[in-house]
Amino acid sequence: MITFFTTAKKFEGETRNNQLNAIRSWLILHPAVEVILFQSPHGIDPAMIDPRIKIDPFPECVNNIPRIDYMFQFVSKHAANSYCCFINCDIVLTSDFLNVIMNRLSALKNDFLAVGQRWDFENIQGEWQFTEGWQDKYLGNPAMQLHPPAGSDYFLFPKGLYPSGSIPPLIVGRPGWDLWMIYNARKRKICTVDLSGVFMLYHQNHDYSHKNVHYENNLDEPEAIRNLSFLPASGKYEFTLLACDYAFDEKGKMVKNYARWMMERYLRISAALGQHRTIAWMRYRFAQILYRVFGLR
């Protein structure tokens, strides 16, 4: 089963509703689900008092922002379950998430990192009641928009994949750290899977007042520059979901991914990973021919 881990803002106002909705949607997936919150104990809502929720009140930080390496290493040691999932605290999950893990990813024999896209929507119903039919009631919103394949909101992996020293001191909630996660998995030749073809999760829109207001472009923030410095100088922005080396096709079969058939993007990703451009081009063209002629890839 799964241990979810995350950071949270203060449980107040609209943020409180979004965070409660998200965490409760994780807990109802299965009785064995565990949640680890890296959060000041003064910011926890009484509604979050639950034996399945563990709180680490003093995570290691940079400028009061929790460090990714600390959280992943902590979970690697202390998670109660065999799968771990970092997930942003405004993301709502449905039962389909568990089905994907049990029916598809559990068959993988090697280590993997799984990620995917999201639907964005405005939560106009406040704090939700997770009674029968809650998904239709709260998620049947025609105004939802599909988020571009960038800005990953969750990272699912087997426990122990990130021991001490395997992640640099990245900062959560700032650009670049999610790109590094996909880059690192590809570099380590870990099976990096885009689940967008078989599962979508839901993001409750919110303001970004927690960001540094002195920078119009969030890529100019010192924390973003710090995160991005751990990526290769050439191609550091390439490691979105398009860089996953596996995905699921329309039949639900896991197949090789070629930047969703965007050749130039695939070649840039390959170059950033140190792969020879000519060989990458030949690999891409051969896969394209197989797919077009025989439906294979």
Side-chain angles (χ1 to χ4, degrees), residues 117-267:
Q117 275 174 271
R118 75 191 195 207
W119 289 102
D120 294 322
F121 73 103
E122 298 291 338
N123 172 24
I124 60 174
Q125 306 203 48
E127 184 179 342
W128 300 357
Q129 300 300 315
F130 286 86
T131 54
E132 184 176 356
W134 71 268
Q135 294 181 199
D136 292 334
K137 179 178 180 180
Y138 298 119
L139 299 176
N141 187 342
M144 288 189 180
Q145 293 186 330
L146 181 62
H147 195 79
S152 301
D153 289 271
Y154 71 97
F155 294 91
L156 174 68
F157 55 93
K159 180 182 176 181
L161 186 61
Y162 294 100
S164 178
S166 61
I167 299 178
L170 301 164
I171 305 170
V172 73
R174 299 299 187 270
W177 84 266
D178 52 341
L179 301 176
W180 185 91
M181 293 296 298
I182 295 175
Y183 163 74
N184 173 258
R186 290 296 313 272
K187 207 57 181 166
R188 291 168 62 186
K189 300 188 184 306
I190 294 168
C191 181
T192 312
V193 188
D194 180 1
L195 297 180
S196 302
V198 289
F199 174 77
M200 288 281 187
L201 39 70
Y202 300 88
H203 170 253
Q204 302 163 97
N205 291 336
H206 55 83
D207 65 47
Y208 289 86
S209 57
H210 62 287
K211 297 292 183 71
N212 194 325
V213 297
H214 299 295
Y215 298 90
E216 291 186 15
N217 187 338
N218 61 3
L219 296 177
D220 295 330
E221 295 180 20
E223 295 90 352
I225 293 172
R226 176 192 174 95
N227 282 349
L228 291 165
S229 71
F230 296 106
L231 285 151
S234 61
K236 65 175 60 179
Y237 300 110
E238 301 294 346
F239 291 91
T240 65
L241 297 178
L242 299 178
C244 293
D245 54 348
Y246 288 92
F248 284 90
D249 65 13
E250 60 278 2
K251 298 179 181 178
K253 178 183 177 183
M254 195 166 77
V255 296
K256 286 288 291 182
N257 179 44
Y258 297 90
R260 299 187 185 179
W261 296 111
M262 299 167 61
M263 183 175 69
E264 284 303 320
R265 186 66 177 263
Y266 175 76
L267 294 178

